[in-house]
Amino acid sequence: MRNSDGGSERTLSAEAPPARDTVGLYNVLGVDQRATPVELKRAYRRLALQHHPDRNPGAAADGRDFVRIQYAYDVLSDERKRRIYDRYGEMGIQMAGRVGGELLDPQVSNMLSGFAFVSSLVALLFVMFFAFLAQRVDRKISWPYSVVFAPLWTVDLAVLIVVMWALLKRVLTGLSPSQVNSDYASRDEDAAQSSSYATTEDDDHEGIVSDACDNTPINAAGDADTSTSASPSPFGPAPATDATPLLGGAGGSRRCHRRSRRHRQHPRLRTLRKFVETQLACLAKAAPIAYLLLLALFQVSIVLKLDGHVGWSVWRVAAPWLAIEAIHGMLLTMQLLAAILKASEGAAAAAPTAGKLVAVALDTYWWFVVRVLQAVLIVLRLNHSISWHWVVVFAPSFLPGLRSIVTLCLLRGQLRAMGDAEVAQNESAIVLASVIAFVIAASFVYSFVALLIWKLSLPSAVRLALVLIPVFIALSILCCLCTCLSCCLAYGMHAPLDDEREAETNSPGNNDNNETSMTFVPSSRRIE
């Protein structure tokens, strides 16, 4: 085609960019996007019978249509895959199986986006609180401390609303407090019944063990085969023991007697372990609410003390915080006791030794002991019960950093002793990342501790705003990261709009492999 000035128009044939098709699999099954699982299953059965190669000799030799129908049903029948397909199309299904593919799930991405947004708001409220506190302590403002603590109370109120909403949702879903109490009552009844039948079970175990001792299999070497399939213990594998020849006599009698006594003790240990686990579950469910109430009470006590409304001692002000630590200590003790009882139910060789008990107890309680010791020293110093320097008072806060350094050094030494170079290289990268994270975290924490010691040693020479600089930097970084993450998850992976969907559905690219011919003619050369 030529125009008026003898030139030919420029025709450009190009391939349109691939559209995010979110309706193709629905078209394969011939259903709507709002189809229910029953409708999807009905359509799949009908099309599968129609295009199955064995039932339809006229179908394609490779069964391409049947494979496509089966693939469409596999994606749309899975709730998670269907959510991903409705938002991102088949490209999202392909990416969902890779590392980080869980973020493509709209439910997961929306949850993470909401969590990041709430975290940014909480960080902003903490920035406001520390800014108000610095201005009040430095006497730049004369607000009462009840106003200064308003951002913290806002956070407490938000957390209380979330907890109450979770409890209400739990009640509405059918798990009412009466049902919980009845559940606990039934568990107590089962425990009582198991303890009442302990004597009968002991007799049964004794008879069984006696028979087992009389008929213990002998291996090829003439020794008794004592191999068992006991469950792994949290205190490590059981040490290997030498097999004792089953020749009768005193040795076999003593071994059978020990095994019989161990089996008689197992029902009692099992009943005690179930009781401890039940009480631990109850305490763990009530602990978050108790923590929240005690934390609010601690803040109120501080405000009343600082505003001069009460003349309480520092011990009375810190009592709610010490109560929180006491509840946490009870949780740790019950967890350790449940682990010990579970390990003691195994074979005698698997029972925890004194060294293992000490190691597990130290690993369980060390951070709890450091926190309690630090809180007690601060209270004693503020209450003028001791006159130690503040460097000595804050000495427990340096123990976690020292422990982390020792752990990283030991891990580095283990990597050097490894023979596999590839595994050692991968582990070295993990250790390097851990070292970088530790250096960043320690720089913020211990710079704040050093500035706080300086402020407490020279109250009139150092402003609190200077002490809180590391806190402001850390909270600002956290707020920015959470805000960016929330925006990326909310808007960077948004679902196509309705007009976008309609354009994709009606576009000619869906019928001819997304190829379209576009003609571009300059306005000065158009034929009017």
Side-chain angles (χ1 to χ4, degrees):
M1 178 179 180
R2 303 182 65 86
N3 53 14
S4 58
D5 56 358
S8 60
E9 66 180 15
R10 290 180 298 177
T11 303
L12 178 63
S13 178
E15 183 178 354
R20 182 165 52 181
D21 184 14
T22 59
V23 296
L25 297 184
Y26 290 97
N27 294 335
V28 170
L29 297 180
V31 295
D32 188 72
Q33 284 187 292
R34 294 179 293 272
T36 62
V38 177
E39 295 175 350
L40 290 174
K41 190 173 184 179
R42 187 184 299 115
Y44 167 71
R45 287 182 176 179
R46 176 176 55 81
L47 293 175
L49 292 176
Q50 180 180 354
H51 294 275
H52 198 282
D54 296 337
R55 299 178 62 91
N56 186 9
D62 55 355
R64 186 178 304 172
D65 295 338
F66 178 75
V67 172
R68 182 66 176 170
I69 292 169
Q70 187 174 9
Y71 171 75
Y73 180 71
D74 290 341
V75 172
L76 299 180
S77 60
D78 188 278
E79 184 178 356
R80 176 177 172 270
K81 292 182 179 179
R82 185 175 181 179
R83 289 196 302 264
I84 297 175
Y85 178 77
D86 288 342
R87 175 168 289 192
Y88 309 109
E90 292 191 45
M91 184 179 294
I93 298 297
Q94 297 174 2
M95 296 177 61
R98 302 177 183 177
V99 178
E102 293 80 6
L103 296 178
L104 294 176
D105 189 351
Q107 186 175 359
V108 176
S109 61
N110 292 337
M111 181 178 63
L112 291 178
S113 176
F115 177 77
F117 178 72
V118 172
S119 300
S120 63
L121 291 181
V122 171
L124 183 59
L125 288 173
F126 273 102
V127 169
M128 294 174 58
F129 164 70
F130 286 114
F132 293 164
L133 183 63
Q135 295 296 317
R136 179 64 178 84
V137 173
D138 293 338
R139 298 182 179 180
K140 301 296 183 181
I141 57 177
S142 58
W143 297 350
Y145 280 95
S146 58
V147 179
V148 173
F149 275 72
L152 279 186
W153 290 338
T154 304
V155 175
D156 295 340
L157 180 60
V159 174
L160 180 61
I161 292 175
V162 171
V163 172
M164 297 302 296
W165 176 80
L167 292 177
L168 181 61
K169 183 179 179 181
R170 188 174 182 179
V171 171
L172 292 178
T173 52
L175 190 58
S176 60
S178 60
Q179 292 176 339
V180 175
N181 295 332
S182 63
D183 187 16
Y184 292 151
S186 62
R187 291 181 183 179
D188 295 339
E189 183 178 356
D190 294 340
Q193 290 179 358
S194 62
S195 62
S196 64
Y197 291 120
T199 306
T200 306
E201 290 180 357
D202 292 344
D203 296 339
D204 294 340
H205 282 294
E206 184 176 0
I208 293 172
V209 171
S210 299
D211 295 338
C213 291
D214 295 338
N215 298 282
T216 304
I218 307 297
N219 55 22
D223 298 335
D225 188 3
T226 58
S227 60
T228 58
S229 58
S231 59
S233 171
F235 293 91
T241 56
D242 297 333
T244 304
L246 186 64
L247 302 177
S253 301
R254 286 195 298 269
R255 190 179 62 179
C256 293
H257 178 68
R258 289 196 300 268
R259 188 182 300 176
S260 174
R261 182 176 58 187
R262 187 172 66 249
H263 279 279
R264 285 199 303 267
Q265 292 175 352
H266 283 179
R268 300 187 183 92
L269 293 177
R270 190 178 300 111
T271 302
L272 180 59
R273 179 177 62 85
K274 289 182 179 180
F275 173 77
V276 172
E277 290 178 350
T278 301
Q279 301 302 320
L280 177 62
C282 296
L283 184 59
K285 292 177 181 178
I289 300 178
Y291 289 161
L292 181 60
L293 296 178
L294 289 172
L295 185 60
L297 182 60
F298 179 57
Q299 296 171 10
V300 172
S301 301
I302 293 176
V303 169
L304 293 177
K305 175 69 175 179
L306 293 177
D307 284 338
H309 297 299
V310 294
W312 296 344
S313 63
V314 182
W315 283 106
R316 182 176 296 184
V317 174
W321 179 263
L322 297 177
I324 292 175
E325 295 294 349
I327 294 175
H328 188 66
M330 292 174 59
L331 286 173
L332 293 178
T333 303
M334 296 181 71
Q335 290 175 359
L336 181 61
L337 181 59
I340 294 174
L341 292 175
K342 186 175 182 179
S344 301
E345 290 182 7
T353 60
K356 292 182 179 179
L357 287 176
V358 172
V360 173
L362 289 177
D363 188 66
T364 302
Y365 285 105
W366 81 272
W367 177 234
F368 168 74
V369 171
V370 168
R371 291 199 316 269
V372 172
L373 180 60
Q374 183 64 82
V376 170
L377 289 178
I378 292 175
V379 171
L380 289 174
R381 183 63 177 84
L382 292 176
N383 204 38
H384 302 289
S385 300
I386 57 177
S387 58
W388 298 348
H389 195 272
W390 283 104
V391 175
V392 180
V393 172
F394 279 94
S397 63
F398 294 95
L399 295 179
L402 181 60
R403 184 176 187 266
S404 300
I405 293 175
V406 172
T407 302
L408 292 174
C409 292
L410 293 177
L411 185 58
R412 182 62 179 174
Q414 293 176 0
L415 291 178
R416 291 181 177 179
M418 293 180 63
D420 195 344
E422 184 177 358
V423 176
Q425 184 177 3
N426 296 332
E427 296 293 336
S428 299
I430 298 176
V431 172
L432 180 60
S434 302
V435 170
I436 295 175
F438 169 75
V439 170
I440 295 175
S443 61
F444 283 105
V445 173
Y446 290 114
S447 60
F448 169 71
V449 172
L451 291 173
L452 183 59
I453 292 174
W454 185 24
K455 169 66 176 177
L456 294 174
S457 301
L458 302 172
S460 60
V462 183
R463 295 187 303 169
L464 185 60
L466 178 63
V467 176
L468 295 177
I469 286 179
V471 178
F472 288 136
I473 295 176
L475 290 176
S476 300
I477 294 175
L478 178 62
C479 184
C480 293
L481 291 177
C482 292
T483 303
C484 294
L485 179 61
S486 177
C487 293
C488 291
L489 293 174
Y491 300 104
M493 298 180 178
H494 66 89
L497 302 176
D498 294 337
D499 53 353
E500 231 179 272
R501 292 173 182 265
E502 185 177 357
E504 292 174 3
T505 306
N506 299 330
S507 63
N510 289 334
N511 299 324
D512 54 6
N513 298 328
N514 292 331
E515 293 183 357
T516 180
S517 178
M518 295 176 290
T519 303
F520 299 93
V521 179
S523 59
S524 59
R525 302 178 62 185
R526 292 178 183 174
I527 301 175
E528 299 295 340

